[in-house]
Amino acid sequence: MEMRTNNCVSDIMGEVSAEGLTLDLLREAREMVRSSPLGVINTPMIPWCQTTLPLDIHCNIHIKLENMQRTGSFKIRGVANQFARRPKGGHFVTMSAGNYGKSFAYASKHYGSKGKVVMPETAPVSRSILIQSFGVEVERVPTSCLMNVVNRCVQEENMTFLHSYDDLDLIAGHASLGMEVLEVMPEPDVVVVCCGGGGLLAGVAAAIKLSGCDRTRIYGVEPEGACTMYKSFIEKKPVGMDTKSIASGLAPPFAGTLPFELCQRYVEGIVLINDEEIKAAVSTLYRSGLVVEPSGSAAFAAIVNNKIPELEGKNVVCILSGGNIGKDELANFSD
């Protein structure tokens, strides 16, 4: 097994191209995730028709319940593969609005690593407190300063940067979710995935396409106020923007370089939803017994608001990517 020891932000940001993500690499990562001491779960995938969720389209939709995953989101998959491939007892720094930070902190405690999470000031304070409870340091800064602070930690404190979405090992770990989808629905027509920096979308899309599902259409879903991948598709290069959305987990300041390359190759398109549609989705899911955070409800919101083309009569997968939402936050979404 190859160990990775990136000590420079620029090393991680530009070391790998889309060709580096092969089916063999994804299978190896799948086994790494499956056997991880972090206890990653093969989450349930249930038919939409076995829920009380509303649906106006006649199609066969399955919902992947990643909101039931260890640490409350899909992020633990990529983290499991990242930590398995790095020396134990390292001193790591990352940037995260919450979910990656939570998984990173959980893994740091398990592996006995020192860690620091640089968080945007817009992230819920409850997330900072939770991350600190695992013994990891948190520094809250303006979103525009995230990378500057990470660079300082790398250069002045000799920390190793683990990227929360633009990293080969992370994306390969996330791809395990795509592999699990194919075990239940071997040839889906459409797969709908949320998109922030693009790590999950890239991993799931690569897993599905490299497994031979050439006809499967894969869509990413972004908030209108944080549409970095959508803009990157138009510009044909990864771009950044001043992001603002109720779905803080989908609002990093720029699209990932490697995720962008992979999404260009394997993703049909990016669709946009607004914050009101996200709020309504969280509320609808909750009324049907599913606790899903705003970021995690994006794919569902896109489907129920008819943002995904040609679903009639198709086999569709909707990924609910996370359930990290507190009672106080949920109260803001109730009708």
Side-chain angles (χ1 to χ4, degrees):
M1 182 182 74
E2 183 187 351
M3 281 283 181
R4 307 197 195 279
T5 56
N6 305 82
N7 282 312
C8 173
V9 173
S10 59
D11 287 347
I12 277 195
M13 299 302 281
E15 69 164 1
V16 182
S17 71
E19 280 84 8
L21 207 70
T22 62
L23 186 57
D24 283 346
L25 186 89
L26 295 187
R27 285 174 173 154
E28 186 183 323
R30 169 75 200 274
E31 288 311 307
M32 202 72 74
V33 171
R34 203 200 304 251
S35 61
S36 170
L38 300 180
V40 182
I41 299 161
N42 183 335
T43 51
M45 200 159 105
I46 62 169
W48 192 300
C49 62
Q50 291 179 9
T51 73
T52 58
L53 292 167
L55 187 63
D56 296 331
I57 312 156
H58 294 289
C59 59
N60 173 34
I61 305 186
H62 276 63
I63 308 166
K64 179 70 167 164
L65 300 179
E66 202 66 4
N67 57 316
M68 297 175 67
Q69 185 55 266
R70 182 90 55 197
T71 72
S73 84
F74 72 92
K75 296 283 190 180
I76 194 70
R77 295 175 180 273
V79 165
N81 198 40
Q82 279 182 315
F83 271 78
R85 293 179 179 278
R86 270 130 183 122
K88 285 187 180 176
H91 192 180
F92 301 115
V93 62
T94 193
M95 57 178 184
S96 168
N99 280 351
Y100 178 84
K102 184 179 179 183
S103 294
F104 170 91
Y106 179 82
S108 295
K109 184 174 183 180
H110 183 93
Y111 279 95
S113 305
K114 287 175 70 179
K116 179 174 184 172
V117 178
V118 183
M119 295 186 77
E121 290 172 335
T122 50
V125 175
S126 58
R127 303 266 172 105
S128 305
I129 295 166
L130 180 67
I131 288 166
Q132 287 167 322
S133 74
F134 288 105
V136 167
E137 185 185 350
V138 172
E139 185 173 346
R140 293 173 68 91
V141 301
T143 303
S144 58
C145 300
L146 287 168
M147 280 307 301
N148 292 340
V149 174
V150 167
N151 275 312
R152 188 197 73 215
C153 293
V154 170
Q155 289 158 11
E156 296 178 13
E157 300 177 54
N158 202 31
M159 296 185 189
T160 300
F161 178 44
L162 294 188
H163 205 294
S164 54
Y165 54 90
D166 202 355
D167 177 76
L168 178 70
D169 296 325
L170 180 93
I171 293 168
H174 291 341
S176 62
L177 195 159
M179 303 273 199
E180 289 174 15
V181 164
L182 296 180
E183 288 171 2
V184 178
M185 188 183 283
E187 291 184 41
D189 296 308
V190 178
V191 178
V192 189
V193 191
C194 66
C195 180
L200 177 64
L201 176 60
V204 169
I208 289 169
K209 291 294 190 178
L210 290 172
S211 295
C213 297
D214 298 332
R215 295 182 184 176
T216 301
R217 288 182 285 130
I218 300 156
Y219 291 93
V221 184
E222 284 189 310
E224 287 178 355
C227 55
T228 53
M229 192 63 76
Y230 179 84
K231 289 190 170 186
S232 298
F233 267 46
I234 293 169
E235 299 278 335
K236 297 187 168 49
K237 64 180 181 183
V239 300
M241 65 180 282
D242 288 330
T243 55
K244 189 176 183 195
S245 173
I246 196 164
S248 58
L250 301 184
F254 46 84
T257 303
L258 182 56
F260 168 71
E261 281 188 41
L262 290 163
C263 289
Q264 259 206 322
R265 184 174 293 206
Y266 299 127
V267 171
E268 186 83 10
I270 307 294
V271 302
L272 303 181
I273 51 174
N274 62 44
D275 277 8
E276 290 307 310
E277 289 165 336
I278 293 170
K279 285 181 188 176
V282 171
S283 183
T284 301
L285 288 160
Y286 184 72
R287 286 199 305 271
S288 291
L290 294 167
V291 177
V292 185
E293 67 191 86
S295 299
S297 69
F300 172 82
I303 291 171
V304 296
N305 287 287
N306 300 312
K307 301 292 177 83
I308 311 295
E310 298 174 36
L311 292 185
E312 200 75 25
K314 303 296 187 187
N315 292 315
V316 182
V317 177
C318 170
I319 295 170
L320 301 181
S321 59
N324 283 315
I325 182 168
K327 285 183 286 187
D328 53 337
E329 285 180 87
L330 264 175
N332 298 329
F333 292 92
S334 58
D335 291 337

